[in-house]
Amino acid sequence: MAEFIKLYEENPSPKEIKKIVEVLRDGGVIIYPTDTVYGMGCDITNNRALERVAQLKGVKLDKANFSFICEDLSNLSDYARQINSATFKVLKRALPGPYTFILQGNNNLPTVFKKKKTVGIRIPDNKIARAIVSELGNPIISTSIYDEDEVVEYTTDPELILEKWDKLVDIVIDGGYGGNIPSTVIDLTSGEPILVREGKGDLTI
């Protein structure tokens, strides 16, 4: 049974954040709010947990396009190759915000992602997600949780999320109603921004 933890975005309880991070360090899988839709994730350094997330999504881990939730731009050099100043300006303008930026990965990517040439970076404008990453000390994986309903693509009500995922994950965080528009995905690997998916983010960045 998943633990249901209520957090307030303006002031997430440090005690509850610590409890969530302990579960992540122990290989747990959580569902948490972002500035777009609710995401499912785990500690990117825990292979067992990564396998669980991939299994829950029904994808092979080495083929999975999970993005990394980072606390701020200082995390970039951990997993992405050096970027030019024009690219950095785009990131600085847009983040924190509802974007996923695809960058060229470097040799520090976790073992399971070593074959990947790119990495998707997210710095959501959501204090709960960023507080978790800050306490953990490294990024967490992000993958959106879909709804099977053909009309409602993403579940926005945390109680309904709990109902569906109760026996599958370790923690569901109630951070209030989520959005139902995913992040805008922009590929920056060639230097020029290329729109991959239009979502919540403003394209005039």
Side-chain angles (χ1 to χ4, degrees):
M1 303 287 277
E3 189 170 355
F4 195 47
I5 296 176
K6 173 75 181 169
L7 287 176
Y8 297 93
E9 198 207 329
E10 283 318 302
N11 190 19
S13 157
K15 186 181 167 192
E16 297 289 17
I17 293 289
K18 277 187 167 62
K19 185 198 289 185
I20 292 161
V21 165
E22 279 169 23
V23 168
L24 286 169
R25 285 193 178 123
D26 201 34
V29 173
I30 66 170
I31 289 175
Y32 57 94
T34 72
D35 53 354
T36 57
V37 299
Y38 266 80
M40 173 167 54
C42 67
D43 180 349
I44 63 163
T45 66
N46 191 305
N47 287 354
R48 184 167 50 93
L50 288 166
E51 288 285 3
R52 266 183 75 193
V53 174
Q55 199 172 7
L56 288 168
K57 283 288 281 190
V59 293
K60 283 203 163 89
L61 184 54
D62 58 351
K63 301 276 196 301
N65 285 321
F66 297 147
S67 46
F68 293 5
I69 297 268
C70 299
E71 184 188 3
D72 55 39
L73 287 172
S74 67
N75 291 131
L76 276 191
S77 56
D78 296 344
Y79 303 103
R81 281 195 199 162
Q82 194 169 356
I83 55 175
N84 61 32
S85 57
T87 300
F88 186 76
K89 281 178 186 166
V90 171
L91 296 174
K92 202 161 171 49
R93 271 202 307 273
L95 300 172
Y99 300 90
T100 301
F101 286 105
I102 299 170
L103 301 168
Q104 290 186 334
N106 65 20
N107 295 330
N108 299 331
L109 286 174
T111 317
V112 290
F113 300 123
K114 283 290 186 204
K115 289 180 184 170
K116 285 191 170 293
K117 291 186 171 63
T118 60
V119 60
I121 298 288
R122 276 272 277 132
I123 302 175
D125 189 11
N126 180 287
K127 288 180 182 172
I128 295 169
R130 295 209 313 276
I132 292 167
V133 172
S134 176
E135 180 67 27
L136 182 62
N138 57 256
I140 56 175
I141 281 298
S142 176
T143 180
S144 305
I145 53 169
Y146 291 96
D147 197 296
E148 271 74 51
D149 189 309
E150 285 178 13
V151 180
V152 184
E153 198 172 355
Y154 300 97
T155 309
T156 59
D157 182 341
E159 293 197 1
L160 292 178
I161 291 171
L162 177 68
E163 214 173 273
K164 179 178 176 181
W165 295 92
D166 191 21
K167 294 182 174 65
L168 301 170
V169 300
D170 302 286
I171 291 175
V172 173
I173 298 168
D174 175 1
Y177 275 81
N180 57 6
I181 301 170
S183 65
T184 290
V185 181
I186 296 174
D187 187 337
L188 292 175
T189 54
S190 66
E192 287 297 311
I194 297 167
L195 180 67
V196 177
R197 178 182 74 193
E198 187 172 350
K200 189 178 174 185
D202 181 355
L203 297 179
T204 59
I205 57 154

